[in-house]
Amino acid sequence: MTKITILHNPRCSKSRETLSLLQQQGIEPEVIEYLKTGLDEDQIRHIQAALNVSSLRDFMRRKEDRYKELNLDNADVTEPQLLAALLDNPGLLERPIVINGSKAALGRPPEQVLEIL
């Protein structure tokens, strides 16, 4: 069986709900508190591929003040610049994200992650 991982923020209600939903399914995922540990480029690229999205913006928290402060909503911001922003500001990552091998799903709503189990 493939290891299930959740990128988790315990202060986020959707993240807590998603973790609980996984546990109700009998799954004890590897929990990564990415705000504490951060993410590296390989992890971010794996998430992007697993979510099957073309831009890093697709799993960034666009309403965050930090996103606006960094002017990331500007169409001229490149993917390498978005990557650098995520590496330096893990709080910009949308949450929670559940990863199951080569597949991933955003837990908004939490039930959405059931599609990749």
Side-chain angles (χ1 to χ4, degrees):
M1 182 174 181
T2 306
K3 175 179 70 173
I4 309 277
T5 303
I6 182 171
L7 300 177
H8 180 61
N9 176 355
R11 295 184 61 202
C12 171
S13 64
K14 293 295 181 200
S15 195
R16 291 191 310 269
E17 289 172 26
T18 301
L19 178 58
S20 177
L21 179 64
L22 291 172
Q23 292 168 333
Q24 289 168 16
Q25 299 294 315
I27 297 168
E28 281 301 326
E30 175 186 6
V31 176
I32 297 176
E33 290 190 33
Y34 64 94
L35 292 176
K36 291 181 181 178
T37 64
L39 297 170
D40 64 31
E41 181 175 352
D42 289 340
Q43 290 171 308
I44 292 171
R45 292 295 183 200
H46 177 73
I47 294 164
Q48 182 178 16
L51 287 171
N52 194 28
V53 295
S54 59
S55 175
L56 296 173
R57 272 193 183 91
D58 293 330
F59 58 97
M60 292 178 80
R61 298 178 57 82
R62 297 180 193 190
K63 294 180 182 177
E64 284 291 313
D65 289 341
R66 189 71 179 136
Y67 187 88
K68 295 170 187 165
E69 289 166 8
L70 294 172
N71 198 30
L72 298 176
D73 53 354
N74 182 327
D76 294 332
V77 175
T78 65
E79 287 295 307
Q81 290 170 316
L82 292 172
L83 176 63
L86 274 172
L87 290 170
D88 292 342
N89 303 276
L92 291 173
L93 184 75
E94 190 60 83
R95 61 184 182 258
I97 296 175
V98 174
I99 304 163
N100 183 5
S102 64
K103 299 179 285 186
L106 188 58
R108 293 186 172 271
E111 296 76 20
Q112 190 165 292
V113 303
L114 297 175
E115 297 172 11
I116 65 162
L117 301 180

